[in-house]
Amino acid sequence: MKFFIDTANLKEIDEARSLGVLDGVTTNPSLISKESVSNKKEIHQHYISICKRLKNNENVSAEVISTNYTDMIQEGEELAFLHPKIVVKIPMIKDGIKAIKYFYNKKIKTNCTLIFSTGQALLAAKAGASYVSPFIGRLDDVSYNGLNLIREIKNVYENYDIKTKILAASIRHSLHIIECSKIGVYAVTSPINVIYSLLNHPLTDIGLEKFIKDFNKKIK
Ligand code: G3P
């Protein structure tokens, strides 16, 4: 399973890279707004800085702000032409589906975001999305089981050998990542602190402390 990091922060991307587990990056407008960028030029420059941190087969999803077809096409093309590692992130709305089809025909990769149902995932795949981003945590927040959605989309895609990749998003804790790996999704995209939380087990800490204590008792 691929580990994407859900951030626009260059330090966090570098941290995930130095941990040795980075396979790609996803951003969204809220994440971009947390960085020191205040206009389109700076945002584009920021995306290029992210791209420069990525290896050959890795990519970064950059989301359009527009919500109508014509503007989405213009904005998406601008993003795609910035760097070959950019995947255009498009919201799951009617014009978004049309835009995904347009980009598919142009061989520009897309990530259809804000997926909360299997029907939406099916439609995005039909239009030719390279990735879909179902939001697990936000579904859990409203008392739906986000992981069940991931299972259902995976089953449906397998029924028809659909090539669209599931990039499980809105990851809130380590169990989301573990369960996604059991389901067999292509990738999870998560904040760096959730990746770090995979490290934790009390028996590891107790065991390590004992190993070192035993060793130091005997060996000078
Ligand atoms: O980038 C999309 C998604 O991962 C957002 O997550 O935590 O804001 O629901 P969250």
Side-chain angles (χ1 to χ4, degrees), residues 93-106:
I93 52 176
K94 191 160 91 179
D95 282 29
I97 290 298
K98 290 184 193 172
I100 287 168
K101 188 74 194 181
Y102 172 89
F103 288 123
Y104 175 79
N105 289 332
K106 293 262 172 186

Side-chain angles (χ1 to χ4, degrees), residues 25-220:
V25 177
T26 56
T27 65
N28 63 42
S30 305
L31 293 171
I32 285 286
S33 74
K34 290 185 191 166
E35 302 308 309
S36 47
V37 287
S38 52
N39 55 51
K40 194 160 105 174
K41 200 174 161 211
E42 286 176 5
I43 292 170
H44 284 182
Q45 206 45 55
H46 195 79
Y47 282 134
I48 290 169
S49 300
I50 294 176
C51 289
K52 285 184 178 160
R53 284 165 160 77
L54 300 178
K55 292 186 180 157
N56 272 345
N57 53 348
E58 299 171 350
N59 61 51
V60 52
S61 292
E63 190 162 339
V64 298
I65 305 296
S66 319
T67 52
N68 72 74
Y69 175 75
T70 314
D71 292 345
M72 266 193 245
I73 297 303
Q74 196 196 323
E75 203 188 333
E77 280 186 334
E78 276 174 22
L79 289 169
F81 295 150
L82 280 179
H83 202 283
K85 291 186 190 308
I86 288 188
V87 171
V88 181
K89 206 173 183 188
I90 307 271
M92 167 36 78
I93 52 176
K94 191 160 91 179
D95 282 29
I97 290 298
K98 290 184 193 172
I100 287 168
K101 188 74 194 181
Y102 172 89
F103 288 123
Y104 175 79
N105 289 332
K106 293 262 172 186
K107 297 191 169 32
I108 290 172
K109 285 189 176 167
T110 54
N111 174 358
C112 187
T113 189
L114 291 163
I115 297 277
F116 293 94
S117 77
T118 305
Q120 291 178 327
L122 193 55
L123 201 55
K126 277 299 272 184
S130 319
Y131 302 90
V132 282
S133 292
F135 280 31
I136 300 176
R138 291 193 198 185
L139 271 174
D140 289 353
D141 290 346
V142 293
S143 302
Y144 279 85
N145 187 331
L147 286 164
N148 278 348
L149 172 65
I150 304 291
R151 281 187 199 96
E152 207 171 286
I153 296 172
K154 174 95 179 350
N155 284 342
V156 169
Y157 280 9
E158 278 174 2
N159 284 345
Y160 299 98
D161 199 21
I162 287 170
K163 300 289 179 244
T164 302
K165 294 178 167 115
I166 301 171
L167 217 174
S170 189
I171 300 282
R172 300 283 169 74
H173 48 75
S174 57
L175 208 53
H176 280 156
I177 298 183
I178 294 160
E179 289 303 316
C180 279
S181 72
K182 291 189 204 164
I183 294 166
V185 296
Y186 171 78
V188 288
T189 183
S190 80
I192 192 146
N193 63 314
V194 183
I195 296 175
Y196 281 138
S197 74
L198 291 171
L199 287 166
N200 302 335
H201 198 289
L203 291 178
T204 304
D205 301 337
I206 293 166
L208 182 62
E209 202 186 323
K210 187 170 179 340
F211 282 157
I212 293 169
K213 212 168 137 193
D214 290 347
F215 185 90
N216 286 339
K217 259 194 274 176
K218 188 76 200 288
I219 294 151
K220 300 287 167 215

